Amino acid sequence: MASRRQKTLLIDPGARARVWCKECGRELSDPVSRQRQLGAECDSEPRNGHDRHDVDQDPIPGL
């Protein structure tokens, strides 16, 4: 008599969920890209590791 039980599926429980770019549809591997759901080519914000804050400065006296 054949077993009526389903065979065990071999799924890695530690595997990451697959994430695709919202713009171009490519699969993302970079942690920052995965978080933003945008690939580096499609993301318009710079990724240099720190936030850029421009500060208005007073002119230097005498110049």
Side-chain angles (χ1 to χ4, degrees):
M1 181 174 185
S3 175
R4 300 188 65 141
R5 207 170 140 195
Q6 181 180 2
K7 293 182 180 179
T8 304
L9 298 175
L10 300 176
I11 299 173
D12 183 10
R16 299 183 304 182
R18 296 173 76 180
V19 179
W20 288 270
C21 178
K22 287 191 250 181
E23 295 291 322
C24 66
R26 285 192 274 173
E27 188 172 1
L28 304 174
S29 59
D30 179 49
V32 176
S33 296
R34 292 170 55 85
Q35 185 178 21
R36 293 183 181 190
Q37 295 183 350
L38 286 172
E41 298 85 17
C42 299
D43 194 357
S44 61
E45 294 184 28
R47 299 171 180 233
N48 53 10
H50 58 82
D51 293 329
R52 180 180 171 171
H53 297 285
D54 292 328
V55 179
D56 291 334
Q57 295 181 343
D58 294 330
I60 299 174
L63 291 180

mmCIF file of all heavy atoms in Angstrom, residues 6-36:
data_model
loop_
_atom_site.group_PDB
_atom_site.id
_atom_site.type_symbol
_atom_site.label_atom_id
_atom_site.label_comp_id
_atom_site.label_asym_id
_atom_site.label_seq_id
_atom_site.Cartn_x
_atom_site.Cartn_y
_atom_site.Cartn_z
ATOM 1 N N GLN A 6 2.428 13.144 2.593
ATOM 2 C CA GLN A 6 3.212 13.983 1.681
ATOM 3 C C GLN A 6 4.687 13.885 2.034
ATOM 4 O O GLN A 6 5.057 13.824 3.202
ATOM 5 C CB GLN A 6 2.757 15.444 1.784
ATOM 6 C CG GLN A 6 3.488 16.370 0.858
ATOM 7 C CD GLN A 6 3.015 17.819 0.996
ATOM 8 O OE1 GLN A 6 2.158 18.116 1.817
ATOM 9 N NE2 GLN A 6 3.579 18.692 0.196
ATOM 10 N N LYS A 7 5.533 13.884 1.006
ATOM 11 C CA LYS A 7 6.968 13.851 1.242
ATOM 12 C C LYS A 7 7.410 15.155 1.897
ATOM 13 O O LYS A 7 6.843 16.214 1.632
ATOM 14 C CB LYS A 7 7.717 13.663 -0.067
ATOM 15 C CG LYS A 7 7.490 12.325 -0.693
ATOM 16 C CD LYS A 7 8.299 12.195 -1.961
ATOM 17 C CE LYS A 7 8.083 10.845 -2.594
ATOM 18 N NZ LYS A 7 8.838 10.697 -3.837
ATOM 19 N N THR A 8 8.426 15.062 2.733
ATOM 20 C CA THR A 8 8.943 16.235 3.423
ATOM 21 C C THR A 8 9.611 17.173 2.428
ATOM 22 O O THR A 8 10.409 16.736 1.591
ATOM 23 C CB THR A 8 9.975 15.815 4.490
ATOM 24 O OG1 THR A 8 9.358 14.883 5.371
ATOM 25 C CG2 THR A 8 10.467 17.007 5.265
ATOM 26 N N LEU A 9 9.254 18.449 2.492
ATOM 27 C CA LEU A 9 9.864 19.434 1.614
ATOM 28 C C LEU A 9 11.184 19.884 2.212
ATOM 29 O O LEU A 9 11.265 20.162 3.407
ATOM 30 C CB LEU A 9 8.936 20.644 1.448
ATOM 31 C CG LEU A 9 7.582 20.347 0.819
ATOM 32 C CD1 LEU A 9 6.735 21.617 0.826
ATOM 33 C CD2 LEU A 9 7.763 19.844 -0.586
ATOM 34 N N LEU A 10 12.209 19.950 1.392
ATOM 35 C CA LEU A 10 13.527 20.362 1.870
ATOM 36 C C LEU A 10 13.668 21.865 1.682
ATOM 37 O O LEU A 10 14.084 22.347 0.639
ATOM 38 C CB LEU A 10 14.619 19.608 1.119
ATOM 39 C CG LEU A 10 14.570 18.094 1.266
ATOM 40 C CD1 LEU A 10 15.631 17.446 0.402
ATOM 41 C CD2 LEU A 10 14.747 17.698 2.717
ATOM 42 N N ILE A 11 13.295 22.611 2.703
ATOM 43 C CA ILE A 11 13.382 24.069 2.676
ATOM 44 C C ILE A 11 14.326 24.496 3.779
ATOM 45 O O ILE A 11 14.193 24.056 4.923
ATOM 46 C CB ILE A 11 11.996 24.720 2.887
ATOM 47 C CG1 ILE A 11 11.054 24.292 1.765
ATOM 48 C CG2 ILE A 11 12.115 26.225 2.960
ATOM 49 C CD1 ILE A 11 9.630 24.754 1.977
ATOM 50 N N ASP A 12 15.276 25.336 3.446
ATOM 51 C CA ASP A 12 16.230 25.832 4.431
ATOM 52 C C ASP A 12 15.537 26.881 5.304
ATOM 53 O O ASP A 12 15.206 27.958 4.817
ATOM 54 C CB ASP A 12 17.445 26.438 3.726
ATOM 55 C CG ASP A 12 18.501 26.910 4.700
ATOM 56 O OD1 ASP A 12 18.395 26.602 5.904
ATOM 57 O OD2 ASP A 12 19.450 27.576 4.249
ATOM 58 N N PRO A 13 15.295 26.615 6.582
ATOM 59 C CA PRO A 13 14.596 27.583 7.427
ATOM 60 C C PRO A 13 15.415 28.848 7.683
ATOM 61 O O PRO A 13 14.859 29.868 8.046
ATOM 62 C CB PRO A 13 14.345 26.820 8.729
ATOM 63 C CG PRO A 13 15.347 25.741 8.746
ATOM 64 C CD PRO A 13 15.637 25.402 7.313
ATOM 65 N N GLY A 14 16.727 28.802 7.477
ATOM 66 C CA GLY A 14 17.576 29.970 7.697
ATOM 67 C C GLY A 14 17.735 30.829 6.457
ATOM 68 O O GLY A 14 18.427 31.838 6.486
ATOM 69 N N ALA A 15 17.115 30.457 5.362
ATOM 70 C CA ALA A 15 17.268 31.210 4.116
ATOM 71 C C ALA A 15 16.513 32.531 4.188
ATOM 72 O O ALA A 15 15.480 32.642 4.826
ATOM 73 C CB ALA A 15 16.745 30.378 2.945
ATOM 74 N N ARG A 16 17.084 33.546 3.521
ATOM 75 C CA ARG A 16 16.439 34.862 3.491
ATOM 76 C C ARG A 16 15.322 34.871 2.466
ATOM 77 O O ARG A 16 15.365 34.154 1.473
ATOM 78 C CB ARG A 16 17.456 35.938 3.093
ATOM 79 C CG ARG A 16 18.612 36.066 4.038
ATOM 80 C CD ARG A 16 19.511 37.193 3.625
ATOM 81 N NE ARG A 16 19.964 37.021 2.254
ATOM 82 C CZ ARG A 16 20.785 37.840 1.646
ATOM 83 N NH1 ARG A 16 21.246 38.882 2.272
ATOM 84 N NH2 ARG A 16 21.162 37.642 0.410
ATOM 85 N N ALA A 17 14.337 35.712 2.729
ATOM 86 C CA ALA A 17 13.264 35.894 1.753
ATOM 87 C C ALA A 17 13.830 36.608 0.534
ATOM 88 O O ALA A 17 14.720 37.449 0.656
ATOM 89 C CB ALA A 17 12.137 36.706 2.371
ATOM 90 N N ARG A 18 13.341 36.282 -0.617
ATOM 91 C CA ARG A 18 13.813 36.917 -1.848
ATOM 92 C C ARG A 18 13.120 38.270 -1.996
ATOM 93 O O ARG A 18 11.921 38.383 -1.790
ATOM 94 C CB ARG A 18 13.528 36.023 -3.036
ATOM 95 C CG ARG A 18 14.302 34.714 -2.927
ATOM 96 C CD ARG A 18 13.911 33.747 -3.980
ATOM 97 N NE ARG A 18 14.510 34.145 -5.245
ATOM 98 C CZ ARG A 18 14.356 33.479 -6.372
ATOM 99 N NH1 ARG A 18 13.632 32.396 -6.397
ATOM 100 N NH2 ARG A 18 14.916 33.900 -7.477
ATOM 101 N N VAL A 19 13.912 39.301 -2.341
ATOM 102 C CA VAL A 19 13.390 40.656 -2.491
ATOM 103 C C VAL A 19 13.790 41.160 -3.874
ATOM 104 O O VAL A 19 14.932 40.989 -4.292
ATOM 105 C CB VAL A 19 13.958 41.600 -1.403
ATOM 106 C CG1 VAL A 19 13.439 43.011 -1.580
ATOM 107 C CG2 VAL A 19 13.628 41.072 -0.021
ATOM 108 N N TRP A 20 12.838 41.794 -4.577
ATOM 109 C CA TRP A 20 13.086 42.315 -5.907
ATOM 110 C C TRP A 20 12.950 43.834 -5.908
ATOM 111 O O TRP A 20 12.184 44.406 -5.133
ATOM 112 C CB TRP A 20 12.097 41.726 -6.901
ATOM 113 C CG TRP A 20 12.391 40.289 -7.184
ATOM 114 C CD1 TRP A 20 13.191 39.788 -8.148
ATOM 115 C CD2 TRP A 20 11.895 39.151 -6.476
ATOM 116 N NE1 TRP A 20 13.222 38.408 -8.097
ATOM 117 C CE2 TRP A 20 12.434 38.000 -7.075
ATOM 118 C CE3 TRP A 20 11.048 38.991 -5.382
ATOM 119 C CZ2 TRP A 20 12.163 36.715 -6.634
ATOM 120 C CZ3 TRP A 20 10.775 37.707 -4.944
ATOM 121 C CH2 TRP A 20 11.328 36.589 -5.562
ATOM 122 N N CYS A 21 13.680 44.490 -6.810
ATOM 123 C CA CYS A 21 13.644 45.941 -6.962
ATOM 124 C C CYS A 21 12.260 46.367 -7.447
ATOM 125 O O CYS A 21 11.686 45.749 -8.340
ATOM 126 C CB CYS A 21 14.714 46.383 -7.964
ATOM 127 S SG CYS A 21 14.721 48.151 -8.280
ATOM 128 N N LYS A 22 11.734 47.444 -6.843
ATOM 129 C CA LYS A 22 10.418 47.954 -7.237
ATOM 130 C C LYS A 22 10.449 48.581 -8.626
ATOM 131 O O LYS A 22 9.436 48.635 -9.292
ATOM 132 C CB LYS A 22 9.942 49.014 -6.243
ATOM 133 C CG LYS A 22 9.512 48.465 -4.918
ATOM 134 C CD LYS A 22 8.823 49.541 -4.119
ATOM 135 C CE LYS A 22 9.679 49.957 -2.972
ATOM 136 N NZ LYS A 22 9.065 50.987 -2.138
ATOM 137 N N GLU A 23 11.612 49.074 -9.061
ATOM 138 C CA GLU A 23 11.719 49.761 -10.347
ATOM 139 C C GLU A 23 11.987 48.797 -11.507
ATOM 140 O O GLU A 23 11.259 48.776 -12.477
ATOM 141 C CB GLU A 23 12.830 50.817 -10.293
ATOM 142 C CG GLU A 23 12.551 51.956 -9.335
ATOM 143 C CD GLU A 23 11.423 52.848 -9.798
ATOM 144 O OE1 GLU A 23 11.319 53.102 -11.008
ATOM 145 O OE2 GLU A 23 10.638 53.267 -8.941
ATOM 146 N N CYS A 24 13.076 48.009 -11.388
ATOM 147 C CA CYS A 24 13.497 47.191 -12.536
ATOM 148 C C CYS A 24 13.160 45.706 -12.388
ATOM 149 O O CYS A 24 13.245 44.956 -13.356
ATOM 150 C CB CYS A 24 14.986 47.364 -12.790
ATOM 151 S SG CYS A 24 16.040 46.732 -11.465
ATOM 152 N N GLY A 25 12.815 45.258 -11.184
ATOM 153 C CA GLY A 25 12.417 43.870 -10.993
ATOM 154 C C GLY A 25 13.541 42.888 -10.762
ATOM 155 O O GLY A 25 13.290 41.686 -10.670
ATOM 156 N N ARG A 26 14.793 43.365 -10.655
ATOM 157 C CA ARG A 26 15.903 42.444 -10.413
ATOM 158 C C ARG A 26 15.932 42.010 -8.945
ATOM 159 O O ARG A 26 15.535 42.753 -8.059
ATOM 160 C CB ARG A 26 17.239 43.092 -10.757
ATOM 161 C CG ARG A 26 17.454 43.183 -12.250
ATOM 162 C CD ARG A 26 18.862 43.534 -12.561
ATOM 163 N NE ARG A 26 18.964 44.993 -12.524
ATOM 164 C CZ ARG A 26 20.086 45.654 -12.615
ATOM 165 N NH1 ARG A 26 21.214 45.040 -12.732
ATOM 166 N NH2 ARG A 26 20.086 46.960 -12.592
ATOM 167 N N GLU A 27 16.454 40.798 -8.694
ATOM 168 C CA GLU A 27 16.570 40.315 -7.325
ATOM 169 C C GLU A 27 17.689 41.071 -6.618
ATOM 170 O O GLU A 27 18.744 41.325 -7.211
ATOM 171 C CB GLU A 27 16.854 38.822 -7.302
ATOM 172 C CG GLU A 27 16.799 38.256 -5.906
ATOM 173 C CD GLU A 27 16.881 36.751 -5.862
ATOM 174 O OE1 GLU A 27 16.996 36.118 -6.921
ATOM 175 O OE2 GLU A 27 16.834 36.212 -4.751
ATOM 176 N N LEU A 28 17.467 41.442 -5.358
ATOM 177 C CA LEU A 28 18.419 42.250 -4.603
ATOM 178 C C LEU A 28 19.176 41.390 -3.601
ATOM 179 O O LEU A 28 18.598 40.514 -2.960
ATOM 180 C CB LEU A 28 17.682 43.370 -3.863
ATOM 181 C CG LEU A 28 16.837 44.293 -4.742
ATOM 182 C CD1 LEU A 28 16.042 45.254 -3.882
ATOM 183 C CD2 LEU A 28 17.719 45.053 -5.710
ATOM 184 N N SER A 29 20.490 41.673 -3.450
ATOM 185 C CA SER A 29 21.305 40.933 -2.488
ATOM 186 C C SER A 29 21.928 41.849 -1.439
ATOM 187 O O SER A 29 22.220 41.408 -0.340
ATOM 188 C CB SER A 29 22.397 40.155 -3.219
ATOM 189 O OG SER A 29 23.210 41.046 -3.954
ATOM 190 N N ASP A 30 22.139 43.114 -1.763
ATOM 191 C CA ASP A 30 22.726 44.077 -0.837
ATOM 192 C C ASP A 30 21.741 44.359 0.299
ATOM 193 O O ASP A 30 20.562 44.610 0.035
ATOM 194 C CB ASP A 30 23.053 45.373 -1.590
ATOM 195 C CG ASP A 30 23.646 46.428 -0.685
ATOM 196 O OD1 ASP A 30 24.586 46.106 0.059
ATOM 197 O OD2 ASP A 30 23.153 47.574 -0.727
ATOM 198 N N PRO A 31 22.181 44.336 1.575
ATOM 199 C CA PRO A 31 21.262 44.562 2.693
ATOM 200 C C PRO A 31 20.539 45.911 2.630
ATOM 201 O O PRO A 31 19.345 45.992 2.926
ATOM 202 C CB PRO A 31 22.149 44.489 3.931
ATOM 203 C CG PRO A 31 23.366 43.761 3.516
ATOM 204 C CD PRO A 31 23.529 44.001 2.052
ATOM 205 N N VAL A 32 21.240 46.971 2.224
ATOM 206 C CA VAL A 32 20.613 48.292 2.137
ATOM 207 C C VAL A 32 19.586 48.306 1.014
ATOM 208 O O VAL A 32 18.475 48.810 1.173
ATOM 209 C CB VAL A 32 21.668 49.395 1.924
ATOM 210 C CG1 VAL A 32 21.011 50.748 1.738
ATOM 211 C CG2 VAL A 32 22.638 49.436 3.089
ATOM 212 N N SER A 33 19.932 47.718 -0.110
ATOM 213 C CA SER A 33 18.998 47.633 -1.242
ATOM 214 C C SER A 33 17.766 46.830 -0.860
ATOM 215 O O SER A 33 16.645 47.201 -1.195
ATOM 216 C CB SER A 33 19.665 46.981 -2.449
ATOM 217 O OG SER A 33 20.721 47.767 -2.913
ATOM 218 N N ARG A 34 17.978 45.723 -0.152
ATOM 219 C CA ARG A 34 16.852 44.892 0.265
ATOM 220 C C ARG A 34 15.930 45.657 1.200
ATOM 221 O O ARG A 34 14.716 45.547 1.115
ATOM 222 C CB ARG A 34 17.357 43.623 0.943
ATOM 223 C CG ARG A 34 18.071 42.674 -0.013
ATOM 224 C CD ARG A 34 18.760 41.545 0.730
ATOM 225 N NE ARG A 34 17.870 40.803 1.590
ATOM 226 C CZ ARG A 34 17.103 39.785 1.205
ATOM 227 N NH1 ARG A 34 17.146 39.397 -0.057
ATOM 228 N NH2 ARG A 34 16.331 39.167 2.044
ATOM 229 N N GLN A 35 16.513 46.456 2.090
ATOM 230 C CA GLN A 35 15.706 47.225 3.031
ATOM 231 C C GLN A 35 14.892 48.301 2.309
ATOM 232 O O GLN A 35 13.716 48.501 2.591
ATOM 233 C CB GLN A 35 16.605 47.869 4.080
ATOM 234 C CG GLN A 35 15.857 48.590 5.164
ATOM 235 C CD GLN A 35 16.792 49.161 6.204
ATOM 236 O OE1 GLN A 35 17.983 49.357 5.946
ATOM 237 N NE2 GLN A 35 16.273 49.424 7.373
ATOM 238 N N ARG A 36 15.515 48.985 1.347
ATOM 239 C CA ARG A 36 14.841 50.052 0.603
ATOM 240 C C ARG A 36 13.974 49.519 -0.525
ATOM 241 O O ARG A 36 13.171 50.237 -1.091
ATOM 242 C CB ARG A 36 15.881 50.997 0.003
ATOM 243 C CG ARG A 36 16.636 51.785 1.027
ATOM 244 C CD ARG A 36 17.578 52.717 0.330
ATOM 245 N NE ARG A 36 18.345 53.494 1.281
ATOM 246 C CZ ARG A 36 19.104 54.509 0.960
ATOM 247 N NH1 ARG A 36 19.216 54.866 -0.295
ATOM 248 N NH2 ARG A 36 19.774 55.167 1.878
#
